[in-house]
Amino acid sequence: MVDEKENDTKPVDAADSAPEGAKPEAMPRGEKKQAKAPKEGKEGKGGKGGKGAKAPAPAPEPEGPPAEPAPRARLLDFYEQRVRAKLQQQFGFKNPHQIPRLLKIVLNVGMGDASKNPKGLDAAVLELGSITGQRPLVTRAKKSIANFNLREGQPIGCAVTLRGGRMYEFLDRFISVAVPRMRDFRGLPTKSFDGRGNYTLGIKEQMIFPEIDYDKVEKIHGMDITLVTSAGRDDLAMALLRELGWPFRGETPQRVA
């Protein structure tokens, strides 16, 4: 008997048995050809007829002379040159970071009839922006109150927070220009501190600011001005405001050079 293992023959591959230089047989119709590797065309190059990304167009040159930087606030220089040294000597501060300073000034205008008179709120926003030189933020109700016909999220006023040089510029204009224009002015109260070195003042009319045009005023309204300081006590904050020229009632205000 012939052994079956000896008669077993392996199938011969056509490609292996083909002689060298012979072309392989064509592929069946059902099989797909292998995708060729993409050639480096002219799109990626910046040569002739290239379709690559175009170079960005140069920015247009501004017309006229370049804008000059804003001058430094006069009251800020006065604080750094004179007020800091005087307060440190008066209260005996060993660390210069203990010297009180102004952190921010917040101006808040409340419009109770903003829902019935939306144009009045828009006018208040424009007026507050012209006074401070900064765009106000429209404040909205935090919760609904039925007795006041108030709904949550309803606009009820506007507010502005000033810091840095703009804060000192506003304070300088307020002390030297706006305050003397108050009717029957006899000084600002000394009991408006909150116990933590913050001072809040209420104004009845926005007409005291010279930026307001009398002919364009639709309604007279007031505002609250809050001066937030880094002093933790009222006496330190009062000394700071006094040195900055704040006109307290019954006192001669400090003259700012």
Side-chain angles (χ1 to χ4, degrees):
M1 293 179 66
V2 181
D3 191 5
E4 294 180 359
K5 294 182 181 180
E6 295 179 0
N7 293 337
D8 290 342
T9 56
K10 296 182 180 180
V12 180
D13 193 355
D16 296 340
S17 61
E20 294 183 0
K23 296 182 179 180
E25 296 180 359
M27 297 177 64
R29 294 182 180 180
E31 297 182 8
K32 296 182 180 179
K33 297 183 180 179
Q34 294 181 355
K36 296 182 180 179
K39 298 181 180 179
E40 293 183 4
K42 297 181 181 179
E43 296 179 3
K45 299 180 181 179
K48 266 186 184 180
K51 299 181 181 180
K54 296 182 180 180
E61 297 181 358
E63 298 180 358
E68 297 181 359
R72 188 177 172 88
R74 180 187 66 157
L75 197 59
L76 177 58
D77 293 337
F78 179 76
Y79 167 76
E80 293 181 350
Q81 296 172 6
R82 297 188 181 183
V83 176
R84 286 180 58 88
K86 194 170 183 179
L87 291 177
Q88 187 173 9
Q89 182 180 4
Q90 180 180 354
F91 292 96
F93 294 125
K94 297 181 180 180
N95 191 339
H97 296 287
Q98 293 178 320
I99 303 174
R101 67 183 187 279
L102 276 176
L103 298 179
K104 61 182 177 180
I105 296 179
V106 182
L107 290 84
N108 182 28
V109 177
M111 303 291 291
D113 59 343
S115 59
K116 301 178 182 178
N117 185 16
K119 292 185 179 180
L121 179 60
D122 297 339
V125 169
L126 293 177
E127 291 174 357
L128 192 58
S130 62
I131 290 171
T132 59
Q134 184 173 315
R135 185 176 180 180
L137 174 68
V138 177
T139 55
R140 300 181 181 275
K142 295 183 179 179
K143 61 180 180 179
S144 302
I145 302 177
N147 294 336
F148 298 105
N149 295 328
L150 190 65
R151 294 183 179 179
E152 184 179 356
Q154 182 178 348
I156 55 176
C158 54
V160 169
T161 302
L162 301 177
R163 291 184 175 89
R166 191 171 294 176
M167 171 186 65
Y168 283 98
E169 284 285 352
F170 169 78
L171 184 61
D172 192 6
R173 287 185 286 107
F174 179 75
I175 293 174
S176 56
V177 179
V179 168
R181 299 179 62 178
M182 289 184 179
R183 187 180 304 174
D184 300 332
F185 177 71
R186 297 180 181 178
L188 299 178
T190 59
K191 298 181 180 180
S192 297
F193 292 94
D194 63 347
R196 291 175 291 181
N198 304 323
Y199 187 88
T200 302
L201 171 69
I203 297 177
K204 297 180 180 179
E205 299 179 358
Q206 80 274 26
M207 312 298 293
I208 64 174
F209 294 99
E211 295 85 2
I212 301 298
D213 189 359
Y214 288 89
D215 299 332
K216 297 181 180 179
V217 173
E218 298 182 359
K219 180 182 178 181
I220 295 178
H221 59 81
M223 66 182 67
D224 296 329
I225 302 177
T226 302
L227 282 74
V228 182
T229 67
S230 62
R233 309 198 311 260
D234 291 346
D235 56 342
L236 295 179
M238 188 173 183
L240 171 63
L241 296 181
R242 185 184 291 114
E243 294 298 330
L244 291 175
W246 194 261
F248 285 110
R249 189 171 299 168
E251 298 179 7
T252 302
Q254 185 78 14
R255 185 177 180 180
V256 179

